[in-house]
Amino acid sequence: MRSTHTATLDRQPTTHEMSDSAIAMVDEQGTVLGWTQAAERLVGYPAGDMVGRSAALVVPSFEEAPTISAFVERCRARKGWSGTTAVRHRDGRQLTVSLRISMLRGQDGAVRWLVSVTDVRKLSREAANGSVRESLLTRSPIGIVVRDSQLRCTWVNDTMESHDGVSPEQRLGRRSTHTLPAAKARAFEAAMRQTLRTGTPGVHEFRRWLSASPRREHILMASFFCLQDAEGRAVGVCTISVDVTESRRAQERLAILSEAGTRLGSTKDVMRTSQELADLAVPLFADYAVVDLEHSVPTGEGPAVRIGPAGERLPVFLRAGLASIRQGVPESPWERGEAVPVPPAAPFTDVLRTGRSHLEPVLDTAPGTWPDQDPVRARKIHENGMHSLMVVPIRARGVLLGMALFIRTEDPAPFQENDLLLAEELVSRAALSLDNARLYAREHATALALQCNLLPQRLRGGTAVQVASRYLPADLDIGVGGDWFDVIPLSGARVALVVGDVVGHGINATAAMGRLRTAVHMLAEMELPPDELLTRLDDTLERLGEDVGDIPDQLAAVMGATCLYAVYDPATRRCTMAGAGHPPPAIVDPQGRVTFPDLPTGTPLGVGLGAPFEAVELELPEGSLLALYTDGLIETRDHDIEAGMNHLGAVLSEPAGSLEDLCDRAMETLPGPAPSDDVTLLLVRTLSLGPAQVASWTLPGDRTAVRSARRLTAGQLAEWGLESLEDSTELIVSELVTNAVRHSSGPIGLRLIQHQVLTCEVFDTTDCLPRLRRARTTDENGRGLFLVAQLSRRWDSRPESGGKVVWSEQDLGRPSPVRPQGRPGGACAARAW
């Protein structure tokens, strides 16, 4: 069992870092003066058989030299020798080894030689075990010190001074307590005494600041070998040390890159990824680090910036990552999220133009340098002692994403090429994550813009209802889904209430939802009853499925949808609704009683069954609450729809300050942080028009109806204080009633509604809907609807049970302007009803 020793390191050296090379010490005539146990294991000769005899006994190449003296002189000229040769085992076989001879100096100019031998066959079977062995096998400089049993230095090579800064004169004849701090010397000598006592090699690691490189700490690995005399007694210890600073730094760089693989890109947020990059660099190899992104990268908007000549305008950068070993990051003039100017004279412009990194080992702030021309940065450089700089471009797929700056303040060592290689590798890994996040941000922005344009931004309930809504997509990353809701103003102060759910999630479902929502708006403008509207919508969805039936990726987006469509009339407080495979609404009366109306379920839209839809009409007390929702709100993997509906009803029946508060309370009952399905909730509180806002009459179906209609209209407008609309309204009423008398039979209904506009409605018993047409100049009739259109802000007709209603709207408080006439030679006219 080999022993290990350490004093100043953060970790224990492993046995793999110990050298098991055979070590021997010889004089200038080639006589062996000291032998090790490893040498005995390699060649089979114990110390008693080798000490005092020629090394040529085991090293045939010594015999091949003209004389030992000639070989020694050759080594002296080269200060040593290394190469591959053969050694003779005690049993007669020859071993191929790597041989290294190092010259040692003692007091009064005496010279000795240290011979190290390693079996090449063993080396080929396993990896190099450590820095000492690797150095013994190569021409890498190794430091050698031989000490006597009292641990006084007796022999040393020239390389050792470059390792710890102690000259041979200061070292020879002295113990390590004269050259190392007390604590380190005690640990160092304890390791050597252990080797002397047991004969087992040991390893020790220590750190030194050398006068030759005061800004850099050196890491030294020392291996100890016990030297034995002819009787096998320990007469001294040989210490072979290697400067492992670069190899340790390489290990640290590999560790940093390994950590980067786990820490960078943990999210799709470019700002967070930038901060992760800055946090990773500090304090691993930089004291201060910033990441500046091109301003369009966080939002995903705007054209990509390519590497190349910047032209007259430099890109605008945003500070996205910021880290420092100092509290509060005093080195940065700009906070995260702030715009960062790029001075034209700074090295940043060269980085943008060439796409190559910039290394400034010693940051020059003399007059005329780039910091001197940038007062803001120059002040921070001087205040914080910034002395070394690296600027690395962040790029991916030829696109400039930003720049990363790494600066040293407290660490006195300047950045070197190896540091730049590490920074570039680190930034390149971060660039992939940032580019993916940039593309995601662009897709996300597109998806949100699509969703924003498809869902209503402001719900208008008019004088019919108060409204509040919530929408939560199942795909929280993308933020879009297939649910939709709407409140559509209709004529006569009525509103249409819509909630729908397209099969699937994501962009395809959103696109299909947009088509359906547009179709619902168009059909609602036609004033169709709910059951007929769903029938038309079902046909529309089937046609969409036929259009994309050959595209597999699009098929799922139009496979089907559920929908609930309701129309509420505040003048009568009646609500007509129909459903297509959708759960019924929850209705809460003013006393807090919750009911779910017995609404025919209907088949989902687009499944091709062709079953008719049925409508239900309800009369609602003023102040009733309607909750329209999608199944994502009431259905979970653990509870069925009925349990979810009962839970929703219980939440809605509790008193709440406002519809918004009630929406929040209902959404808070969702199980888990993320829903498994899109969730939509539309809450509606019904209002009603009082008797003072609605006036209605039944007129006979003859010509006397026109005169009566004009008189009743004038009186009602005077009562409402709308005399300014009297002339235009009488004309509209006259034309509509005249057409009703001419083209229908039976009584005629007239209704005036004062709400946000003035609505005039005329009912008759025919189901033929009027439309404008262009009349010829010779026609004597047919221009009545053209006049109605000129006097109204809008007009249209809708089917009603037993007939139809033609309606017209005017703005309150001012007469409707008369619009310009049609082109010469023609005019619009009304066709017979």
Side-chain angles (χ1 to χ4, degrees), residues 4 10 34 188 223 259 266 289 335 424 552 572 620 710:
T4 60
D10 297 333
F188 203 70
S223 291
E259 187 175 359
S266 59
E335 300 291 334
E424 289 178 335
T572 62
L620 303 176
R710 293 172 65 94

Side-chain angles (χ1 to χ4, degrees), residues 384-467:
N384 296 280
M386 303 181 190
H387 64 83
S388 193
L389 165 72
M390 293 188 297
V391 183
V392 181
I394 306 174
R395 59 192 182 202
R397 303 180 181 93
V399 174
L400 176 69
L401 304 178
M403 292 184 295
L405 281 74
F406 306 101
I407 293 176
R408 280 183 176 167
T409 56
E410 298 292 332
D411 186 350
F415 285 124
Q416 300 177 357
E417 289 292 339
N418 287 338
D419 297 310
L420 182 61
L421 291 175
L422 171 63
E424 289 178 335
E425 179 64 25
L426 193 63
V427 168
S428 68
R429 297 192 181 200
L432 294 176
S433 299
L434 285 170
D435 193 48
N436 290 335
R438 176 184 69 90
L439 295 176
Y440 168 78
R442 177 165 293 185
E443 293 177 1
H444 191 220
T446 301
L448 288 181
L450 175 64
Q451 187 83 44
C452 241
N453 285 285
L454 293 179
L455 289 179
Q457 301 305 299
R458 183 170 63 90
L459 297 174
R460 296 179 298 160
T463 55
V465 292
Q466 297 173 343
V467 189

